[in-house]
Amino acid sequence: MPHPPTPATSPYAQGLGRNPANHTPLSPVSLLEWVADAYPDHPAVLHGDLRRTWAEQRDRARRLASLLAARGIGPGSTVACVLPNIPAMIDLHFGVPLAGAVLNTINTRLDPATIAFILEHGEAGLLITDTEFGSAVGEALELLAARGVAAPPVVDVDDPVFDGPGQRLGEVEYEAWLAGGDPAFAGDLP
């Protein structure tokens, strides 16, 4: 019985350079483009009373990416967030890579000192945070200032499903900011 070919001797590995016919890089961005084209009217996000389709989700990711690019956030940049599993988090998972940047999701259960360390170490160029975590994130920003570290600009997310206390820290509320983005922004695959 012949031995199976090794990866180097496999007929599939011989003389086949990567090209559009045999290789497509996978990323959240390529997934979003595909599903928004294939299933534009199917539900992508369900949150409380909110219902959003895949076509709408693609538009939101493009809007976000255009706003990030306008701020100079792209390859080599980091966007940090302190968010629970809410629709804005989905926007970030698609929109940040579309801008070419890296998304640094910070655990919502961390203490202010750890959040401050992550923001500094990750060199966040922008912080998007839910007002629910305003107290801990506010303390983290104060710790950065006490160490002489410039805090990143902050965008506040006000989750309409959350009805507890919250604290605004940023220059703008997320939905208002996102409305100013370009839904036709092309972006790039990571």
Side-chain angles (χ1 to χ4, degrees):
M1 171 181 250
H3 293 284
T6 65
T9 62
S10 165
Y12 301 108
Q14 303 300 314
L16 295 176
R18 287 184 175 188
N19 63 61
N22 68 13
H23 178 78
T24 301
L26 298 177
S27 76
V29 175
S30 62
L31 169 68
L32 178 62
E33 290 297 327
W34 175 83
V35 75
D37 286 340
Y39 303 103
D41 298 323
H42 286 223
V45 177
L46 307 171
H47 183 68
D49 293 332
L50 174 71
R51 302 293 181 262
R52 187 173 296 138
T53 67
W54 281 107
E56 292 167 331
Q57 187 59 54
R58 175 176 49 195
D59 287 352
R60 290 178 65 86
R62 289 176 175 177
R63 285 178 187 276
L64 176 59
S66 75
L67 292 166
L68 295 173
R71 284 181 173 255
I73 295 173
S77 301
T78 301
V79 175
C81 69
V82 181
L83 297 171
N85 292 329
I86 60 174
M89 181 67 94
I90 297 169
D91 296 345
L92 270 63
H93 274 84
F94 292 121
V96 172
L98 183 60
V102 172
L103 178 60
N104 182 4
T105 59
I106 300 174
N107 190 313
T108 59
R109 295 181 179 141
L110 295 175
D111 63 276
T114 306
I115 294 170
F117 174 82
I118 293 169
L119 289 172
E120 182 178 1
H121 183 72
E123 299 177 359
L126 181 69
L127 172 61
I128 300 176
T129 184
D130 194 306
T131 57
E132 177 182 356
F133 307 106
S135 177
V137 173
E139 285 183 49
L141 297 175
E142 290 172 8
L143 290 170
L144 289 176
R147 292 199 304 257
V149 175
V154 178
V155 175
D156 292 311
V157 175
D158 195 3
D159 179 13
V161 174
F162 177 71
D163 61 359
Q167 179 182 352
R168 288 186 183 266
L169 304 169
E171 58 192 52
V172 66
E173 196 280 326
Y174 180 76
E175 289 298 328
W177 180 59
L178 191 66
D182 179 4
F185 183 77
D188 290 313
L189 284 174

